[in-house]
């Protein structure tokens, strides 16, 4: 069975065709600059093709994806009928979609109606589903996999904010959490790999990339997570501030005479690693610069590591214990230095890293804690596309 996974952004459409019999990626790529001009990168069998095609909308991008998969140099399947189903990544499912769902017209309408909660992602994702329906026809099943679903098990005390209750009732303002597909994949994968039943287990998953979030997973279910109403909350990220005292926002708007949109831009695009270091949003650049003595780069590294450490402690307290800490995402998987600093002086909690194992990046599941410690620490590469494909397969097979 072959499943196509689609991850649509406002001006891009990433795809992966996965053979579910062996979980191999047959081809993958990205259509960029949709609505501007158009560029597709198509990768298959260790080869990569890149060419320009006009993409006025997501529909033309979809047509090009089908063309790239079924014809020319990059052809990997005879025709589109070989694709059994399409799995779509969706940013926001509000409180309505607690699990992945077979896509109907009503589901697409709902996803569109949550646009206020996910203004940059939900509209293009709904548009991509319509485009996919047009190009693939009505007989190819499509499944929506929501970034928010895994976090829907949070208790009320974790997801409510201390603001007047009427705003929850009127505008659904609460913590939703994001990266759910990754947190679910990594936590389930760990439990399966270790042959553990979810009941009674207490895990902290640190998904650290350009966007980062940390989740407390108790009994296999999300109990709390660091991102909130939007993906701006939580720890310092590439260009996002993470949590700040809300008064800072009001104070700055006043002092600098900023509109809400300008403030939004500062918090989402000019803060985080970039804002603090005044150098780069990329963690690797900051690590290199801090080694060369750049003080602000070092400050940004120190801040994020301290924040991660605090979340691990807080979530261990919230869950009443801790069995494992799992690192994933570009930074979590690759930065031994960050992992070492985060775990430093946590021996009192039963966390101690094996220095050699931690320094050694295998690119696959890898235990990095000293054997026999109370808490295991692992690096587990995330695979959101495979998680989406697995959900899609499970749903179409009923
Ligand atoms: P996204 O959230 O966009 O999916 P990724 O998960 O790919 O991002 O993570 C990208 C981040 O991972 C970048 O900040 C990059 O610098 C960082 N990264 C990758 N390799 C390393 C490394 N060896 N050391 C530190 N950071 C790294």
């Amino acid at each position: 069975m072959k499943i196509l996974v689609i991850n649509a952004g406002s001006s891009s459409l990433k795809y992966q065709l996965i053979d579910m019999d062996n979980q191999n990626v047959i081809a993958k790529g990205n259509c960029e600059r949709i609505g501007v001009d158009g560029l597709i990168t198509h990768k298959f069998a260790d080869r990569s093709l890149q060419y320009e095609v006009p993409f006025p909308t997501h529909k033309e991008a979809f047509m090009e994806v089908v063309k790239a998969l079924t014809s020319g140099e990059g052809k990997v399947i005879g025709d589109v009928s070989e694709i059994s189903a399409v799995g779509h990544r969706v940013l926001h499912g509000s409180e309505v979609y607690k699990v992945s769902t077979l896509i109907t017209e009503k589901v697409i309408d709902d996803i569109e109606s949550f646009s206020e909660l996910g203004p940059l992602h939900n509209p293009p994702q709904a548009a991509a589903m319509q485009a996919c329906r047009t190009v693939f026809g009505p007989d190819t099943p499509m499944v929506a996999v929501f970034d928010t679903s895994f976090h829907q098990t949070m208790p009320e005390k974790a997801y409510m904010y201390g603001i007047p209750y009427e705003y929850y009732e009127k505008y659904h303002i609460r913590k939703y959490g994001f990266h759910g597909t990754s947190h679910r994949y990594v936590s389930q994968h760990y439990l399966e790999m270790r042959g553990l039943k979810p009941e009674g287990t207490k895990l902290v998953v640190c998904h650290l990339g350009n966007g980062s979030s940390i989740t407390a997973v108790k009994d296999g279910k999300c109990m709390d997570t660091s991102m909130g109403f939007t993906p701006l909350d939580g720890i310092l990220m590439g260009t996002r501030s993470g949590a700040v005292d809300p008064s800072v926002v009001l104070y700055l708007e006043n002092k600098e005479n900023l509109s809400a949109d300008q403030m939004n831009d500062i918090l989402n695009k000019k803060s985080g690693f970039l804002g603090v270091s005044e150098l780069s949003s990329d963690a690797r650049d900051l690590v290199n610069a801090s080694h060369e003595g750049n003080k602000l780069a070092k400050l940004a590294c120190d801040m994020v590591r301290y924040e991660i450490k605090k979340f691990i402690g807080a979530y261990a307290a919230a869950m009443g214990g801790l069995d494992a800490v799992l690192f994933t995402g570009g930074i979590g998987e690759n930065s031994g230095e960050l992992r070492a600093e985060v775990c430093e002086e946590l021996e009192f909690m039963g966390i101690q890293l094996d220095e050699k194992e931690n320094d050694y990046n295998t690119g696959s599941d890898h235990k990095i804690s000293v054997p026999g410690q109370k808490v295991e620490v692992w690096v587990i590469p995330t695979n959101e596309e495979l998680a989406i494909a697995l959900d899609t397969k499970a749903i179409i097979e009923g």
Side-chain angles (χ1 to χ4, degrees), residues 140-196:
T140 305
M142 303 195 295
V143 168
V145 180
F146 301 87
D147 276 11
T148 47
S149 289
F150 183 59
H151 303 301
Q152 281 292 307
T153 51
M154 277 188 286
E156 211 175 15
K157 65 182 177 189
Y159 71 68
M160 287 302 291
Y161 292 124
I163 57 174
Y165 196 80
E166 63 173 295
Y167 298 130
Y168 169 65
E169 294 178 309
K170 261 189 177 156
Y171 306 119
H172 311 286
I173 294 178
R174 50 159 283 180
K175 177 187 281 201
Y176 287 101
F178 298 88
H179 292 139
T181 310
S182 175
H183 289 291
R184 176 164 58 101
Y185 174 82
V186 169
S187 54
Q188 285 179 356
H189 185 71
Y190 171 76
L191 294 175
E192 278 162 22
M193 186 177 61
R194 301 286 289 107
L196 299 168

Side-chain angles (χ1 to χ4, degrees), residues 71-130:
S71 65
E73 257 191 279
K75 172 174 170 165
V76 287
I77 50 172
D79 69 70
V80 74
S81 67
E82 285 184 41
I83 298 174
S84 304
V86 182
H88 290 263
R89 179 185 179 195
V90 183
L91 178 87
H92 221 301
S94 183
E95 293 181 298
V96 178
Y97 291 97
K98 297 184 191 303
V99 289
S100 303
T101 305
L102 192 69
I103 295 174
T104 59
E105 281 304 317
K106 158 103 175 48
V107 174
I108 302 179
D109 289 348
D110 283 348
I111 290 168
E112 241 163 10
S113 75
F114 307 146
S115 291
E116 277 197 358
L117 298 171
L120 298 181
H121 294 86
N122 274 43
Q125 286 165 348
M129 287 169 198
Q130 296 287 16

Side-chain angles (χ1 to χ4, degrees), residues 310-321:
K310 284 201 296 185
F311 265 106
I312 293 173
Y315 285 167
M319 292 188 289

Side-chain angles (χ1 to χ4, degrees), residues 175-253:
K175 177 187 281 201
Y176 287 101
F178 298 88
H179 292 139
T181 310
S182 175
H183 289 291
R184 176 164 58 101
Y185 174 82
V186 169
S187 54
Q188 285 179 356
H189 185 71
Y190 171 76
L191 294 175
E192 278 162 22
M193 186 177 61
R194 301 286 289 107
L196 299 168
K197 288 213 172 74
E199 290 71 32
T201 57
K202 293 157 183 166
L203 315 175
V204 170
V205 182
C206 304
H207 176 112
L208 312 172
N210 284 317
S212 298
S213 63
I214 302 179
T215 295
V217 183
K218 190 177 182 195
D219 302 324
K221 294 185 212 135
C222 172
M223 185 182 167
D224 205 345
T225 191
S226 62
M227 281 181 169
F229 179 58
T230 71
L232 179 60
D233 201 2
I235 64 170
L236 202 73
M237 297 171 236
T239 60
R240 286 174 246 170
S241 63
V244 293
D245 178 346
S247 302
V248 170
V249 177
L250 306 174
Y251 189 83
L252 256 183
E253 280 185 354

Side-chain angles (χ1 to χ4, degrees), residues 332-353:
E333 290 166 32
N334 295 302
S335 181
E337 182 182 312
L338 171 134
R339 295 190 302 255
E341 270 191 38
V342 166
C343 296
E344 203 175 49
E345 295 181 343
L346 293 185
E347 289 85 0
F348 77 96
M349 288 174 71
I351 295 177
Q352 195 183 351
L353 289 197

Side-chain angles (χ1 to χ4, degrees), residues 179 207-211 273 281-285 287 329-331 334-335 361:
H179 292 139
H207 176 112
L208 312 172
N210 284 317
F273 298 160
S281 63
D282 189 283
R284 245 168 319 187
D285 292 346
V287 171
I331 303 173
N334 295 302
S335 181
N361 283 339

